[in-house]
Amino acid sequence: MLVVGGSGVDTVVRVDSLPVPLADAIGVGPIREWPGQTGGNVALGCQALGLNVKFLDFIGDDWTGGQVREHLAKGGVDFEGLISPAGTRRAVNLVEKTGRRMSFYDARDPEDLRMPRDFYLPHLRRARRVHVSLTNFTRFLLDDIIELGIPVSTDLHDWDGVNAYHREFAYRADLVFLSAAGARERIAPVMREILREGRAQAVVATAGAGGSYLLTREGSRTPRPIPATVPPAPVVDSNGAGDAYVSAFLYGQLTGRDLDDCARLGAVAGAYACTVEGSSSPITSEALLSGVRAGGAGGAVRSA
């Protein structure tokens, strides 16, 4: 499993409610730093589930980049990084008591940042599946990924179906994830558009406590609902829940399960992720499969 792009460090600030009242100063609980972000979280999640993961990305030659390297190493992820002149990506996430969050994301990559072809091609040729994060430089790997015939997935996060930045990723991946939060009531037409205009075989939209929706090329034009899973403990943080869903879905594909089963695995992993802080403890394959056997519905929260 090859993951490309999307690492960084989240600064998590816990607040009583969202939106935060306008004030000169507000007292908060302990402010925490969590390395990971979307690409790092998917790599860590897949590794925790027993997949053999390689992770490629740009990070800064800075203390936050050191946090990323250390966190990935502790999770057993084989990481190979290139130095970005702009430094490591950052985000400040406000998290309220229910686990809901608001994220301020600093992508900071220069527009002309490119991963050298002779650096990534050997890794592509060894990969069974590639997951590309929504970082600008990863779009320039898509030609080679598709030419080599490697299945490729991506997460559009809260794409509204309009923003042009996401469109190439949406139309060139064969498996597309996104959050229903961006398109809201238009999510079904957006999912159909991705299948109609692109090469995706399946589109998955996650909808928090409403579960998720699966749409494939074969079958109904109406997305199939997949129930959410009851979290196994109190919800403390939705950061990384969507990445956990993606990791478990990919694990299901790579272990030969059908798409509906993959979505159920994703629901269990997303619910579990809401019960731990940051990406501190990804779900294991034993806990994942036990959660699927236990069943349940309602309550999972999806992070954009």
Side-chain angles (χ1 to χ4, degrees):
M1 177 77 204
L2 179 64
V3 180
V4 186
S7 63
V9 174
D10 292 331
T11 298
V12 178
V13 182
R14 298 198 171 276
V15 297
D16 289 336
S17 62
L18 292 172
V20 176
L22 182 62
D24 182 66
I26 296 175
V28 297
I31 295 175
R32 304 290 298 275
E33 302 279 354
W34 290 109
Q37 294 195 357
T38 182
N41 290 343
V42 170
L44 287 161
C46 288
Q47 186 72 36
L49 289 169
L51 300 178
N52 183 16
V53 179
K54 181 75 177 186
F55 183 30
L56 308 178
D57 198 9
F58 284 96
I59 59 171
D61 184 16
D62 47 28
W63 71 274
T64 45
Q67 282 189 303
V68 171
R69 289 184 183 276
E70 181 180 352
H71 191 53
L72 292 169
K74 285 182 178 178
V77 172
D78 182 5
F79 175 62
E80 198 164 338
L82 299 173
I83 298 300
S84 169
T88 304
R89 302 174 200 95
R90 301 294 305 275
V92 175
N93 299 331
L94 306 184
V95 181
E96 68 170 5
K97 291 178 179 179
T98 64
R100 191 168 64 98
R101 72 154 193 184
M102 182 177 184
S103 181
F104 300 85
Y105 180 56
D106 174 9
R108 77 173 54 199
D109 288 342
E111 198 63 30
D112 61 353
L113 189 67
R114 300 289 184 273
M115 186 167 278
R117 197 164 180 262
D118 59 358
F119 172 76
Y120 68 76
L121 263 181
H123 299 294
L124 288 185
R125 293 185 174 124
R126 291 194 291 271
R128 286 180 58 199
R129 169 168 281 283
V130 181
H131 181 78
V132 294
S133 299
L134 205 62
T135 45
N136 188 58
F137 76 85
T138 59
R139 71 175 71 245
F140 300 98
L141 279 67
L142 292 171
D143 282 342
D144 285 316
I145 295 170
I146 293 169
E147 183 177 341
L148 289 169
I150 308 166
V152 56
S153 57
T154 194
D155 188 348
L156 307 178
H157 300 285
D158 59 346
W159 188 41
D160 59 4
V162 177
N163 190 323
Y165 178 89
H166 302 68
R167 199 169 300 279
E168 183 173 8
F169 293 92
Y171 292 171
R172 304 198 71 193
D174 60 75
L175 172 61
V176 176
F177 299 92
L178 76 164
S179 167
R184 298 184 183 276
E185 68 277 357
R186 295 179 49 254
I187 190 61
V190 169
M191 294 173 76
R192 286 192 287 267
E193 177 190 331
I194 292 170
L195 290 181
R196 183 178 67 251
E197 302 295 334
R199 57 189 298 273
Q201 299 302 306
V203 182
V204 181
T206 52
S212 58
Y213 297 90
L214 174 65
L215 188 65
T216 62
R217 285 194 177 274
E218 299 177 359
S220 171
R221 285 174 48 82
T222 302
R224 300 195 295 276
I226 306 296
T229 297
V230 175
V235 172
V236 296
D237 189 355
S238 65
N239 288 294
D243 304 323
Y245 185 109
V246 170
S247 301
F249 194 106
L250 296 175
Y251 165 82
Q253 276 207 310
L254 287 168
T255 52
R257 291 164 169 81
D258 65 32
L259 294 176
D260 289 84
D261 283 344
C262 292
R264 284 187 279 271
L265 291 172
V268 171
Y272 174 87
C274 293
T275 68
V276 297
E277 289 189 293
S279 56
S280 58
S281 180
I283 194 169
T284 63
S285 57
E286 293 80 8
L288 179 68
L289 297 177
S290 175
V292 171
R293 287 191 294 269
V301 180
R302 201 272 194 199
S303 165

